[in-house]
Amino acid sequence: GGQRASGGVRAGKQAWSDAWAPGGEYFALATQRPAAVIRGEGACRTLFVHAGVLPAHVQRYGELAALNEAMGAAVARARSRQARQSELLGNEGPVWTRLYAEEEERVACAALEEVLRATGAARMVVGHTVQRPQARARCGGRLVLLDTGMSAIYKGHPSAFRC
């Protein structure tokens, strides 16, 4: 049994690697779609991003278009463990940071305000860190933590945002 399980793990890792490699089914999705996007106008102008845009990201890249371009390029070259630990793909990148979900309120809200000011958004909606039992808001409603674990593995439920 152990050898078969080991072979299954190897096959699974290879399939995962192939899916994310150039030409793989996820490669185009991850390199050509924006990591962060603003939708809506006025009080409903909302920044959507998987885990969060940090002040360091807007300081370095300025506009979201440049951040998105850099994210696509980072994913395209992320074939090594070292590349996956880069500024954008590592623990403090837009798809991995947990600052907005787990940091104390004053720290999270200060970072949020800097990003909202730089992007012109009224709020930011993030996922990545499951909230129980439901989505929640922080920072006076300007930050929405929307991940409710709707994947079967988390046994959560679907949630949506509407301004």
Side-chain angles (χ1 to χ4, degrees):
Q3 188 174 13
R4 187 175 338 145
S6 173
V9 169
R10 266 195 305 277
K13 286 182 177 180
Q14 185 60 52
W16 178 257
S17 181
D18 291 347
W20 286 96
E25 63 182 299
Y26 298 130
F27 183 82
L29 290 173
T31 58
Q32 296 173 11
R33 293 196 181 186
V37 64
I38 293 179
R39 296 289 184 257
E41 297 179 18
C44 288
R45 187 171 164 84
T46 304
L47 170 59
F48 293 90
V49 59
H50 181 74
V53 173
L54 299 178
H57 304 145
V58 294
Q59 290 165 7
R60 178 163 185 185
Y61 298 100
E63 302 202 357
L64 289 182
L67 172 64
N68 287 329
E69 185 175 324
M71 277 293 294
V75 170
R77 39 173 209 275
R79 304 302 298 158
S80 69
R81 179 176 294 266
Q82 182 179 1
R84 290 190 299 271
Q85 295 306 313
S86 70
E87 171 198 13
L88 292 175
L89 301 181
N91 289 336
E92 296 307 313
V95 296
W96 287 108
T97 184
R98 294 191 193 273
L99 180 140
Y100 294 111
E102 296 179 348
E103 192 59 69
E104 64 183 67
E105 192 86 358
R106 81 177 164 74
V107 173
C109 296
L112 175 71
E113 290 306 319
E114 187 174 336
V115 170
L116 295 180
R117 198 171 27 258
T119 61
R123 80 187 44 73
M124 181 166 31
V125 174
V126 303
H128 185 59
T129 304
V130 177
Q131 305 300 301
R132 300 274 190 229
Q134 63 189 20
R136 68 184 175 110
R138 296 183 78 186
C139 308
R142 290 170 58 87
L143 174 65
V144 178
L145 304 166
L146 196 59
D147 190 336
T148 53
M150 65 187 256
S151 171
I153 196 164
Y154 294 111
K155 300 179 181 163
H157 56 87
S159 58
F161 172 79
R162 182 175 182 173
C163 181

